[in-house]
Amino acid sequence: AEEACRSLRLLGRTTANARAALKAADDRLLAQIAHVRERHPDTPRGTFCCPFCTVSVWRNATAGGLRSFAPELAAGLRHLRSRRDASGNWRTYPFFYTLSALLEINLPAARAELRHAAPRCARLLRNLRANPPYAERRRELLRRVRTHAQPILAEAEIAVEREPLLEPVLEPFLALRGM
């Protein structure tokens, strides 16, 4: 439901019936989020029942839905940060779907998560096998992350130029050269 609502919002031209349906869907989803929190009070703010649903809620909120949930996005991104692993992934979160959400979220915390994932994206882009229908979509996502990562690469290269001893520390970012 979250992705359908997001798609309708992104298409823009909605009828009165569609707007009423979107409002009803938002109200139902917000009630469901409240219900999950009531039954599972340890659920982190800004998240939903599982990582996949959490990302779909973030994408819907970013497209303009769930107005009262939007402020919780920052809390959700803090939780995502706590799920980082050393490989540039997030434990339990679907990698490509999470990237797609982060690319749409205009918050510094989302850009920080893209920086975290950028070295893994560089490796994946080099090694991605053609496996229709997903490979081309994934390749495009990885290219979009590369666009966001270019300033990071430039900063890493300047830092290594000034202080060569930093190269091993900055190696994950220097790997972006191959993207």
Side-chain angles (χ1 to χ4, degrees), residues 138-151:
R138 288 178 173 173
R139 192 172 283 112
E140 181 56 32
L141 255 176
L142 295 170
R143 287 181 185 131
R144 289 176 60 204
V145 172
R146 173 181 54 197
T147 301
H148 283 276
Q150 290 307 318

Side-chain angles (χ1 to χ4, degrees), residues 3-14 18-19 21-22:
E3 285 295 332
C5 290
R6 175 184 170 274
S7 296
L8 277 174
R9 286 187 171 89
L10 292 177
L11 288 171
R13 300 181 194 156
T14 55
R19 284 190 298 278
L22 284 169

Side-chain angles (χ1 to χ4, degrees), residues 17-36:
N17 286 340
R19 284 190 298 278
L22 284 169
K23 182 176 177 347
D26 280 357
D27 291 346
R28 206 168 27 256
L29 185 55
L30 289 169
Q32 186 62 30
I33 290 169
H35 178 72
V36 166

Side-chain angles (χ1 to χ4, degrees), residues 3 19 23 29 48 72 91 101 118 120 142 155 162:
E3 285 295 332
R19 284 190 298 278
K23 182 176 177 347
L29 185 55
F48 192 31
E72 295 207 22
R91 289 180 304 281
R120 179 168 193 238
L142 295 170
E155 289 174 26
R162 289 183 184 154

Side-chain angles (χ1 to χ4, degrees), residues 9 29 33 36 43 46 56 64 75 77-79 91-92 101-102 112 114 117 126 143 150 153 155 158 165 171 173 179:
R9 286 187 171 89
L29 185 55
I33 290 169
V36 166
T43 300
S56 69
L77 292 172
R78 280 192 301 277
H79 174 71
R91 289 180 304 281
T92 70
L102 292 171
L114 287 171
R126 281 192 302 271
R143 287 181 185 131
Q150 290 307 318
L153 172 59
E155 289 174 26
I158 291 168
L165 294 174
E171 183 54 39
F173 298 105
M179 279 185 87

Side-chain angles (χ1 to χ4, degrees), residues 107-126:
L107 291 174
R111 290 187 291 281
E113 294 310 309
L114 287 171
R115 284 192 300 275
H116 165 70
R120 179 168 193 238
C121 291
R123 290 188 303 274
L124 287 171
L125 193 54
R126 281 192 302 271

Side-chain angles (χ1 to χ4, degrees), residues 68-87:
S68 64
F69 184 83
E72 295 207 22
L73 230 70
L77 292 172
R78 280 192 301 277
H79 174 71
L80 181 65
R81 180 182 173 90
S82 76
R83 306 299 298 158
R84 285 180 177 182
D85 66 21
S87 72

Side-chain angles (χ1 to χ4, degrees), residues 43-81:
T43 300
R45 280 192 59 226
T47 67
F48 192 31
C49 60
C50 68
F52 193 86
C53 289
T54 293
V55 173
S56 69
V57 167
W58 293 350
R59 284 170 49 97
N60 187 13
T62 301
L66 307 170
R67 294 278 181 207
S68 64
F69 184 83
E72 295 207 22
L73 230 70
L77 292 172
R78 280 192 301 277
H79 174 71
L80 181 65
R81 180 182 173 90

